[in-house]
């Protein structure tokens, strides 16, 4: 019979192992499989990849706009060449008319007669010499006019070739710009629905993904308040009625494509990041003076709860999550963090020097 004293460390080792197992999270073994509230590193990587794709698309758009402006300059140069060609063609037509007039005058003066006939018809040597002088002057004028016409026609041919090359280059540039624009649109469309697919999955799970940190642009914003999106079209306004709302619309909608950067309208603190319910993915920011702004139906968030934000900072990307009929940003101004205390956001922004329109 073996004595238990031969393994004095066995019992403490077993107790330590049980303690380690008990300390592990219950869902650790199921991360990325069955747990609804967990998100794999790959999921977050995809979100970051989509954000970078939008940055690439923004750079490509800037290149397209720059190329378009260059094409307009080149188009103006091509038009100037065409104007030059038209002027040269008119000048050559005048030269041809002058040549015809000189030839007709020479014929009427007998300049076209053979020298033997001129000698026989001349009444005196002086008359013959005068005739020869006139004939020489007429020939000189004709030769000069012909040379000038030939030089003008050669210049015209060179300018026509230059104009044709300019138009061909312009056509090539326009084709390249069209291809670039198509590529941009395809990338944007793919990225938008990737982003929205992630948003729908988050809303369905009722759990937000981690914030996707977007590289903030150098806006140079100096004002204390800004619009929630930079470019937009206003859609449903505050207090409007419709089948989509139980009573009245509680905010101002901004019609923007999926993925449009959403900005904090002013300095404040993020007090809520939610990913379920009628508003879909939403952010609520608390501002000085007891006001709160809400940004709803988002496709992604770029801030965490408790984070401080500055005017114009990108805090998320617009989408069509939750009870939404199409891509837009729902923006509210409230006196409490929860719904039911909304005020007119248009007049509220106007009072802070931010007119909408």
């Amino acid at each position: 019979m073996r004595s238990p004293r031969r393994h004095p460390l066995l019992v403490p080792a077993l107790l330590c192992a049980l303690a380690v197992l008990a300390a592990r999270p219950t869902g650790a073994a199921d991360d990325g499989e069955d747990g609804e509230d967990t998100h794999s590193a790959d999921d977050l990587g995809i979100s970051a990849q989509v954000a970078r794709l939008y940055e690439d698309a923004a750079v490509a758009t800037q290149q397209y706009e720059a190329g378009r402006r260059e094409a307009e300059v080149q188009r103006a140069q091509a038009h100037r060449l065409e104007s030059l060609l038209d002027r040269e063609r008119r000048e050559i037509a005048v030269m041809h008319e002058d040549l015809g007039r000189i030839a007709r005058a020479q014929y009427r003066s007998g300049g076209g007669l053979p020298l033997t006939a001129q000698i026989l018809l001349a009444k005196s040597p002086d008359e013959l010499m005068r005739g020869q002088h006139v004939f020489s002057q007429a020939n000189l004028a004709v030769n000069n006019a012909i040379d000038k016409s030939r030089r003008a026609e050669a210049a015209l041919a060179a300018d026509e070739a230059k104009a044709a090359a300019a138009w061909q280059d312009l056509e090539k540039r326009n084709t390249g710009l069209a291809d670039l624009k198509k590529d941009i649109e395809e990338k944007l469309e793919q990225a938008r629905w990737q982003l929205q697919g992630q948003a729908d999955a988050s809303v369905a799970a009722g759990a937000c993904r981690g914030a996707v940190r977007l590289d903030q642009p150098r806006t140079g914003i100096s004002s204390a308040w800004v619009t929630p999106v930079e470019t937009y079209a206003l859609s449903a306004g505050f207090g409007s009625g419709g089948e989509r709302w139980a009573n009245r619309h509680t905010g101002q909608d901004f019609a923007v494509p999926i993925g449009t950067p959403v900005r904090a309208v002013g300095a404040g603190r993020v007090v809520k990041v939610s990913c379920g319910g009628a508003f879909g993915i939403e952010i609520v920011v608390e501002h000085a003076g007891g006001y709160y702004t809400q940004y709803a139906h988002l496709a992604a968030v770029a801030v965490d709860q408790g984070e401080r934000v500055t005017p114009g900072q990108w805090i998320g990307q617009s989408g069509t999550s939750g009870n939404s009929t199409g891509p837009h940003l729902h923006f509210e101004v409230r006196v409490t963090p929860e719904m039911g205390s909304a005020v007119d956001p248009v007049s509220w922004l106007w009072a802070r020097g931010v007119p909408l329109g």
Side-chain angles (χ1 to χ4, degrees):
M1 183 174 178
R2 294 182 178 179
S3 170
R5 293 179 180 176
R6 293 182 62 184
H7 303 285
L9 299 178
L10 180 59
V11 173
L14 288 173
L15 291 175
C16 290
L18 290 172
V20 170
L21 290 173
R24 292 181 63 188
T26 58
D30 297 326
D31 281 353
E33 295 181 3
D34 300 328
E36 288 186 348
D37 295 334
T38 60
H39 300 288
S40 69
D42 290 340
D43 288 339
L44 297 178
I46 292 173
S47 295
Q49 182 181 0
V50 171
R52 287 194 299 270
L53 180 58
Y54 269 86
E55 294 172 3
D56 293 342
V59 172
T61 300
Q62 292 174 355
Q63 293 174 345
Y64 170 76
E65 290 300 322
R68 185 184 57 80
R69 289 191 294 269
E70 291 177 5
E72 289 301 321
V73 172
Q74 193 167 359
R75 185 184 300 276
Q77 292 175 345
H79 281 301
R80 283 196 294 271
L81 278 176
E82 285 293 337
S83 299
L84 175 63
L85 291 177
D86 288 339
R87 186 171 70 249
E88 290 179 353
R89 292 186 187 105
R90 290 193 297 269
E91 290 175 352
I92 289 174
V94 171
M95 291 179 190
H96 287 171
E97 186 177 346
D98 289 342
L99 277 173
R101 186 171 57 253
I102 292 172
R104 289 191 297 272
Q106 189 178 15
Y107 177 79
R108 286 194 300 269
S109 63
L113 292 177
L115 179 59
T116 303
Q118 292 181 32
I119 293 174
L120 293 175
L121 295 174
K123 297 179 180 179
S124 66
D126 290 340
E127 183 179 352
L128 176 61
M129 293 300 296
R130 286 195 299 273
Q132 285 295 306
H133 178 71
V134 171
F135 176 72
S136 298
Q137 292 295 321
N139 277 341
L140 180 62
V142 170
N143 290 334
N144 289 339
I146 291 174
D147 289 341
K148 185 177 180 181
S149 177
R150 287 174 176 171
R151 288 194 301 271
E153 288 173 352
L156 174 61
D159 289 339
E160 284 178 336
K162 186 186 298 185
W167 283 114
Q168 289 174 0
D169 190 34
L170 180 60
E171 185 65 25
K172 182 178 179 181
R173 179 185 293 273
N174 288 341
T175 301
L177 290 176
D179 292 341
L180 175 62
K181 187 173 185 296
K182 182 180 178 181
D183 184 54
I184 292 170
E185 291 172 348
E186 289 176 352
K187 284 185 177 180
L188 282 175
E189 190 67 14
Q190 181 182 4
R192 283 171 182 150
W193 291 110
Q194 271 189 279
L195 199 62
Q196 187 58 46
Q198 289 186 351
D200 294 339
S202 295
V203 172
C208 291
R209 299 177 184 272
V212 178
R213 299 300 174 178
L214 303 176
D215 291 337
Q216 299 294 320
R218 296 181 180 180
T219 58
I221 294 176
S222 57
S223 56
W225 302 95
V226 298
T227 56
V229 286
E230 189 171 359
T231 57
Y232 56 86
L234 295 177
S235 51
F238 178 78
S240 58
E243 297 178 356
R244 297 193 300 274
W245 310 294
N247 295 301
R248 292 286 179 178
H249 193 224
T250 54
Q252 173 63 56
D253 286 350
F254 295 79
V256 289
I258 295 171
T260 300
V262 173
R263 312 188 295 184
V265 296
R269 183 175 64 90
V270 178
V271 296
K272 182 179 182 182
V273 177
S274 175
C275 298
F279 286 119
I281 299 178
E282 62 169 319
I283 298 171
V284 178
V285 177
E286 180 184 14
H287 304 280
Y291 287 101
Y292 299 80
T293 53
Q294 180 209 27
Y295 313 79
H297 303 308
L298 301 177
V301 297
V303 290
D304 291 316
Q305 190 165 310
E307 187 173 332
R308 304 292 303 184
V309 295
T310 57
Q313 178 181 336
W314 286 0
I315 60 175
Q317 290 170 286
S318 65
T320 182
S321 59
N323 184 16
S324 171
T325 59
H328 72 284
L329 169 69
H330 175 85
F331 175 72
E332 281 192 21
V333 177
R334 304 169 176 170
V335 295
T336 69
E338 304 301 330
M339 63 180 303
S341 61
V343 300
D344 185 355
V346 174
S347 59
W348 187 84
L349 285 173
W350 181 277
R352 285 155 181 77
V354 185
L356 298 178

